[in-house]
Each structure stands twice: as C-alpha cells, then as structure tokens.
Amino acid sequence: MLLRMIIDCHGHYTTAPSPLGAYRDMQVAALVGDPAHVGERGSITISDAELIDSLEANQLRLQRERNIDLTLFSPRASWMGHHIGNEHTSRFWTEHCNDLIRRVCDLFPDNFAPVCQLPQSPDVGVESSVRELRRCVDEMDFVGCNLNPDPSGGMWNGPPLFDPAWRPLYETMCELDVPAMIHVSAACNPHFHSTGSHYLGADTTAFMQALTSGLFRDFPEMRWVIPHGGGAVPYHWGRFKGMAEENVGAGWPLLDELMANIWFDTCVYHQPGIDLLVEVVPTSNILFASEMVGAVKGTNPDTGEHYDDTKLYVDRAPLTDDQRLDIFERNVQRVYPRLKVPA
Amino acid sequence: MLLRMIIDCHGHYTTAPSPLGAYRDMQVAALVGDPAHVGERGSITISDAELIDSLEANQLRLQRERNIDLTLFSPRASWMGHHIGNEHTSRFWTEHCNDLIRRVCDLFPDNFAPVCQLPQSPDVGVESSVRELRRCVDEMDFVGCNLNPDPSGGMWNGPPLFDPAWRPLYETMCELDVPAMIHVSAACNPHFHSTGSHYLGADTTAFMQALTSGLFRDFPEMRWVIPHGGGAVPYHWGRFKGMAEENVGAGWPLLDELMANIWFDTCVYHQPGIDLLVEVVPTSNILFASEMVGAVKGTNPDTGEHYDDTKLYVDRAPLTDDQRLDIFERNVQRVYPRLKVPA
C-alpha cells in the first residue's frame, strides 16, 4: 500500500498580511459607541506578492520541511470573532476572509484547498451563514466550512447544536455535500483561555451535544470534524462509551453509531496523546492535521522537535500501513468529497 | 515496598436517603416566585439505620469488592447546585449535606473520611464559604473541601479562580492546611451535559486559569486536586507544556512549577486513559480515585468490568511498586495532611 500524499485537514491563515488586521481594527473602532453600526463592505488591498511572502516563510516552508503535500486552509479561527459587532460586521469580515483564502488557493492550488468561515453572529439566525456557504461552495469551490458552536465567544448563551435553529445550515451542508469542522473562535469570557481551555472544552461540548441529542439521526449524511484530537473525548473514551450505553433507553446512540458522522483530527502535540487517539478511536475516524501555524509554535526542549509536527507522532504510532494511509490521505477525501487532490 | 492500604480520594454520597432530596425539593419550591426567599435551616430526619442501608448496598459493598480501604467522602457534587436560590438557600443546604457526611464518617470511621461542600452562591462573596470551611475543619475534623470554580452552573459569569475575590478562601485553606478539589456541580446551561462536558471542561478550565495567572506564586502552600483525570489536560500535555514554555516571558509558570500545587485523580474509565495519565504526569501528582458511585455505573461489555473500577486500570498500568504506593496511599496523605489513616 503506497502512501501517495499527506493531507492536513486543519490549517489556518494565521499569518495574513497586516491590511487584514487593519481592516478588522477599523471595524471594531466603528462599533465603539454604535454596536449596531452597519458600514460598508469596503476593500482590503493586499498584493499577490504579499500573500506569497506571508505563506512562503510560514506554511509553505513547514509543508516542505514536514513533507505535507496539501492543507485544507481556512481563515484564522481565533479571528473569526463572531461575538464582535453585529450580523453586518460578521458578514463583511467573513466575505473578505474567505475571498483571501480563495486567492491563496489560486496562487498555490497544489498546496491549499479552501475551507470557509461562516458569518455567524449572536442572536442572528443561520440564514446569512447558509448564503455565505453557498457562495463559497457554489461560486468558489470551497470544500468545507468551520462552524462555531458558540458564536458568543465563551458566553455559551445561544442555541446548542441540537437546537432547530441550526437545521437550515445542516440541510445546506448535506445538500452541498460539505462537512463542518466544529471550531470556536477566541473567548471574550475571562474564564476561558482561547486556545487552551475554550477550544478543548468546546470540542468536548460539541461531541456531547451530538451524543445526547441523537442529532445525526435527522441528518444521517452530515459530517462533523471535531478538531484538537476531539478535545477530552478520546482520553475519556470509557466515560463516554459507558454513558452512551447507560442512556440507550433515553435515545442516545452508542458510540459506534455516533462515529458514523464524526471524525477527530490529530492536533494533539505529544506522542502519548496520538498513541491513545489511534488506540481507542477507529482509524477510519481520524484525519491527519497539525493546525500549523497554530496554537503552539515552539520546540519541545525534551525532544528538539516542534510540538505541532504531528506527522512525526503519527509516523511513530503503532499503525499498519493501511491505517496510516487512511489517516494521512483517504479518510479526508471521504469526509471532504469536493476536495480535488492534485495529480 | 508493601502496599498498606488503598485510599480513594474522590467519592460522593450519591445514594443518600430520600429525606435529603425531599428537603432540597422543598427549598426549590419555596424559591418559586420568591428568589430571595430566606426561610429557615429546618431539619432533616434520617435514622442511622437508613444511612447504613444506603451505604451498605452501594459504597461499602463496592469498597469490599474492589479492596478499597478508605474513601474521602463528600456530598453529591451534582447536587451542590450553587446556582439555585440565594446565599441562605446554599448555606442551609450545605450545612445539612456536610452534617450528613460527618454522621457517615462517625458510623464508618475506617471506611470514610469527610470532605465538605461549600455554601457558594453567585454574586455572593466567599465569606460564608470561609465560615463553613472553618466549621467543618475546626469543629468536625473534615480534611478537605470541594470548591466550585463556576457556582453559576455553566453560565461562567462569576469571578475566575485568579480573581482576588477568592483570596480569603485560599488564605483559609492554607491556614487550615486543607486542599480543595476543584469540582463543578450540575449545569443549568443547556449547552453542557453535567457529568459529560461540564465536568471535564471545568477541570481543563481550572488548570488553565492557574497556568495563565501564576496564582500559586501568591499561595505556594495551596493545594488543588483536579478531578476526572485532569479533564483534557494529560491528553493534551504537549499543548499545555508548549504554551507554558512560550509564555514564560508573560509570567506563566512552567508545568514543573505549576505541578508543585496541583494533583490529578484517576477517574478515567478505561485502560488507555490511565496508561496515558501515568505516562505523562509525574506519579507524585496522581491520586487514586474512582468517583464511585458516580457518573458511569455500568459494566463495559467488552471487558465485563465496571467502567469505574479504576483500581484495575492502575493495577495493570506500567508502574513500579513504589509509584503504585504513591498513587494508592502516600500522595493523598501529603495532599490531605489532616487525614487520619486508620491503624
């Protein structure tokens, strides 16, 4: 079984040129004193050369160093900031971010495939997210989206994922045959550290919302990727398995049933974590990912290796060649069928 | 090295006789239409025979079956319900719950040692918790407390653990030389499943609040036990280690420094989880626990063993005799120095 290519399902454009951040600062400034400010979409001027520079020095360099062929690339997750401003703020910001991802993928079609953020906003329905998802998939060949289960930014006061409010978005995902990575953005609640406790807590929360609600019975074709190795779920696999078995009478699916619709990525930054992940979760449910350039950029002084060089851990994990092929290359194409793998 | 006894640091009185629940129902009923209702402490009538029955059939039977000698025993965590009612509600309820734990320990001094809940309440300072902690430790020989990092029940809108509001409680813990297990109660936020996502998310959140704040530099003698195997922390040990190293300049402690004050328990309900825990976390920072009778009561159909029979996993984990002695018996006596181990 020959490994043809390594596909990373979870990369963010965390290194975008400064005009993107300047645009966001302008948006935020305009909201001071007028939270309902509408404004205009406006424009952001970034040259191709600037885009290329921002990628060559970072994601492209790391892809080459680590032998990663292709990255599913989406806007910076911590900057989605769905809690900032109103639906107009979120719409203009999201359109710019997604357009930039499209440009990146046009510049480097062999290295990146586009995944969009959605213009979610607290207290606003999903209609605008449905529209943007259609625009990205139908008009710009995006292959998936990132869905924020808590657009409040850590206040957790909107509808849970099993609430009917989400259904139009789920229906559109199924119709377009694109999955969602369930990924929160930065927390504005002082209890939570964004990439520490908020990301991992949200991953576990999303899994549990699916488990307790049996949501996927209504959307048997819907696919979710839960990032960061599934939050706390694999480490507590016995807890979730036991809870599911105890609650079959209450309508919960068993984990075997639930995992027909859920995948975990490999953004777990040490060998024992990856070893546990591949031991307890079926390898057909694991997608290779590194989140680079992401939450942890440093080198582990104990090993001299980058924490987020997750390929090393997967290479060393006790897997058959066939399982490794699933994790690096095949599963992601099943989950993201619109992904066109370069020849 | 002879293992003298097995001490479980995390057991809750989840099987208390029905008059306890009836009292709580009465409290809740009195709050309908009058959230500021004060009422009276009142009384709860439960005979010794009822207490004995409730324990013999459950915790005592399981202790015998699993060769657990002694359990640090506290009121049912999901029933602490600090978000219910006001400070009076919480005070009366907590006093009754703690008094009941004292009675249990008097009836079975060789089997149980008392750990108290605190009368926390949203928007109320920690003074009443300080008073109850003093009452329990000074007058009733309690050896530790459970501290709820989110008395709002999943709204996460009170002060984080690094907020100065908590300091009088921390000072009292240090003065009395008792640790706190950082343990939330039931969630009233529909996003969170209490024993699934809320417990594990809160564990990770508490760890991160300590890491980002350097809180223990002000309280070098304070000791926290983070239950449920430390939430998501050990599974993502590389992530937290890398984050700490990246943020030394911002004043974060390294994990080695932080772990001078934090312990994880072994409430992880499958072998791979325990294997990971003992591989990545120093065994001097691990306390044996089963949480029984707790979140998962069933038998794993794949093994025929109870999910929460965590002693089996620790017995089988790759540990030296000396490390096992630390986890089962010695560490807990260091963390809870007021614990009197029966001869």
Side-chain angles (χ1 to χ4, degrees):
Chain A
M1 194 71 68
L2 194 71
L3 192 62
R4 213 173 60 82
M5 63 187 316
I6 311 272
I7 304 173
D8 183 335
C9 81
H10 185 183
H12 297 298
Y13 196 9
T14 47
T15 60
S18 59
L20 185 69
Y23 176 90
R24 187 59 160 172
D25 290 344
M26 203 189 60
Q27 275 199 319
V28 170
L31 290 159
V32 175
D34 180 15
H37 178 77
V38 175
E40 295 175 2
R41 187 181 189 280
S43 60
I44 301 177
T45 305
I46 300 176
S47 69
D48 282 356
E50 286 175 298
L51 290 181
I52 292 168
D53 280 353
S54 74
L55 295 158
E56 273 294 349
N58 298 292
Q59 290 84 354
L60 288 170
R61 175 180 59 80
L62 291 169
Q63 279 188 345
R64 281 190 297 268
E65 286 175 11
R66 301 178 185 180
N67 291 311
I68 296 171
D69 297 288
L70 177 65
T71 299
L72 272 60
F73 207 50
S74 61
R76 186 175 193 164
S78 64
W79 278 20
M80 295 190 298
H82 295 118
H83 60 280
I84 294 173
N86 53 63
E87 61 179 307
H88 308 285
T89 321
S90 221
R91 181 185 149 204
F92 297 145
W93 170 240
T94 296
E95 287 177 6
H96 279 301
C97 288
N98 290 337
D99 289 353
L100 211 55
I101 292 293
R102 182 63 262 172
R103 285 182 63 199
V104 165
C105 295
D106 286 339
L107 286 167
F108 300 98
D110 288 347
N111 298 88
F112 299 108
V115 170
C116 63
Q117 78 178 45
L118 298 172
Q120 299 175 242
S121 193
D123 306 322
V124 171
V126 296
E127 291 71 23
S128 56
S129 293
V130 168
R131 273 196 302 274
E132 178 65 3
L133 182 60
R134 285 194 186 283
R135 184 180 82 94
C136 288
V137 175
D138 286 339
E139 300 173 24
M140 299 199 290
D141 286 332
F142 276 57
V143 302
C145 62
N146 293 337
L147 187 164
N148 185 343
D150 172 35
S152 75
M155 312 313 279
W156 292 102
N157 55 11
L161 293 171
F162 48 75
D163 190 281
W166 295 96
R167 288 181 172 248
L169 183 58
Y170 298 159
E171 286 161 5
T172 308
M173 286 167 52
C174 292
E175 178 200 325
L176 298 175
D177 205 13
V178 293
M181 178 173 278
I182 310 298
H183 200 309
V184 285
S185 187
C188 61
N189 182 331
H191 276 280
F192 304 122
H193 180 274
S194 297
T195 56
S197 48
H198 189 44
Y199 281 18
L200 303 178
D203 300 336
T204 313
T205 298
F207 182 86
M208 203 66 200
Q209 289 184 4
L211 180 63
T212 55
S213 66
L215 168 66
F216 287 104
R217 288 182 184 148
D218 291 343
F219 297 96
E221 303 302 322
M222 181 163 65
R223 299 178 300 282
W224 283 4
V225 179
I226 300 189
H228 321 106
V233 175
Y235 176 48
H236 288 280
W237 196 247
R239 189 178 187 93
F240 292 100
K241 183 167 176 288
M243 282 183 160
E245 287 160 2
E246 264 181 61
N247 288 286
V248 163
W252 297 20
L254 294 177
L255 294 196
D256 284 350
E257 180 186 338
L258 184 66
M259 295 306 285
N261 299 88
I262 288 181
W263 285 261
F264 298 142
D265 77 10
T266 65
C267 293
V268 178
Y269 295 154
H270 62 152
Q271 189 68 49
I274 292 291
D275 289 348
L276 176 132
L277 173 64
V278 304
E279 181 177 356
V280 302
V281 174
T283 45
S284 52
N285 291 93
I286 300 174
L287 305 183
F288 173 68
S290 66
E291 203 187 352
M292 61 123 175
V293 180
V296 184
K297 287 172 277 292
T299 299
N300 187 339
D302 301 337
T303 62
E305 297 166 352
H306 281 95
Y307 284 106
D308 65 357
D309 191 355
T310 53
K311 180 168 176 297
L312 293 175
Y313 312 136
V314 178
D315 280 341
R316 292 184 199 126
L319 292 163
T320 65
D321 287 349
D322 197 55
Q323 290 175 321
R324 212 168 266 113
L325 196 65
D326 267 348
I327 293 173
F328 279 132
E329 175 178 346
R330 284 194 301 217
N331 294 341
V332 66
Q333 297 184 63
R334 294 180 186 126
V335 177
Y336 295 79
R338 285 177 173 266
L339 177 63
K340 294 182 192 77
V341 173
Chain B
M1 193 73 66
L2 193 70
L3 191 63
R4 212 174 59 83
M5 64 187 316
I6 311 270
I7 304 173
D8 183 334
C9 80
H10 186 180
H12 297 297
Y13 196 9
T14 48
T15 59
S18 59
L20 185 68
Y23 176 90
R24 187 60 160 169
D25 291 344
M26 204 188 60
Q27 275 199 317
V28 170
L31 290 159
V32 175
D34 181 15
H37 178 77
V38 176
E40 295 176 2
R41 187 181 190 280
S43 60
I44 300 176
T45 305
I46 299 175
S47 69
D48 282 356
E50 286 175 298
L51 291 182
I52 292 167
D53 280 353
S54 74
L55 296 159
E56 274 292 350
N58 297 293
Q59 290 84 354
L60 289 169
R61 174 181 58 80
L62 291 170
Q63 280 188 342
R64 282 190 298 267
E65 286 175 11
R66 302 177 185 180
N67 292 311
I68 296 170
D69 297 288
L70 177 65
T71 299
L72 271 60
F73 207 52
S74 61
R76 186 174 193 164
S78 65
W79 278 20
M80 294 190 298
H82 295 118
H83 60 280
I84 295 172
N86 52 63
E87 60 179 307
H88 308 285
T89 320
S90 221
R91 180 184 150 207
F92 296 146
W93 170 240
T94 297
E95 288 177 4
H96 279 300
C97 288
N98 289 338
D99 289 353
L100 210 56
I101 293 292
R102 182 64 264 172
R103 286 181 62 198
V104 165
C105 296
D106 285 340
L107 286 167
F108 299 99
D110 289 346
N111 298 87
F112 299 109
V115 169
C116 63
Q117 78 178 46
L118 298 173
Q120 298 175 240
S121 193
D123 307 321
V124 171
V126 296
E127 293 69 23
S128 56
S129 292
V130 168
R131 274 196 302 275
E132 179 65 2
L133 182 60
R134 286 195 186 282
R135 184 180 82 95
C136 287
V137 175
D138 285 340
E139 299 175 24
M140 300 200 290
D141 287 333
F142 277 56
V143 302
C145 63
N146 293 337
L147 187 163
N148 185 343
D150 172 34
S152 75
M155 312 314 279
W156 292 101
N157 55 10
L161 293 171
F162 49 74
D163 191 281
W166 294 96
R167 287 180 173 250
L169 183 58
Y170 298 158
E171 287 161 4
T172 308
M173 284 166 52
C174 292
E175 178 200 326
L176 298 175
D177 205 13
V178 293
M181 177 172 279
I182 310 299
H183 201 309
V184 285
S185 187
C188 61
N189 182 330
H191 276 280
F192 304 122
H193 179 274
S194 296
T195 56
S197 47
H198 189 45
Y199 281 17
L200 303 178
D203 299 335
T204 312
T205 298
F207 182 86
M208 203 66 199
Q209 290 184 3
L211 180 63
T212 55
S213 66
L215 168 66
F216 287 103
R217 288 182 183 148
D218 291 342
F219 297 96
E221 303 302 321
M222 181 163 66
R223 298 179 300 281
W224 284 4
V225 179
I226 300 189
H228 321 107
V233 175
Y235 176 48
H236 288 280
W237 196 246
R239 188 179 188 90
F240 292 100
K241 184 167 175 289
M243 282 183 160
E245 287 160 2
E246 264 183 59
N247 288 285
V248 164
W252 296 20
L254 295 177
L255 294 196
D256 283 351
E257 179 186 339
L258 185 66
M259 295 306 284
N261 299 89
I262 289 181
W263 285 260
F264 298 143
D265 77 10
T266 65
C267 292
V268 178
Y269 295 154
H270 62 151
Q271 189 68 47
I274 292 290
D275 288 349
L276 175 131
L277 173 65
V278 304
E279 182 177 356
V280 302
V281 174
T283 46
S284 51
N285 290 94
I286 300 173
L287 305 182
F288 173 68
S290 66
E291 203 187 354
M292 61 124 173
V293 180
V296 183
K297 288 173 277 291
T299 299
N300 187 339
D302 301 336
T303 62
E305 297 167 352
H306 281 95
Y307 284 106
D308 66 357
D309 191 355
T310 54
K311 180 167 175 298
L312 294 174
Y313 312 135
V314 178
D315 280 340
R316 291 183 200 129
L319 292 163
T320 65
D321 286 350
D322 197 54
Q323 290 175 321
R324 211 168 268 114
L325 195 65
D326 267 349
I327 293 174
F328 278 132
E329 174 178 348
R330 285 193 303 215
N331 294 341
V332 66
Q333 297 184 62
R334 294 179 185 127
V335 178
Y336 294 79
R338 285 179 174 265
L339 177 64
K340 295 182 193 75
V341 173

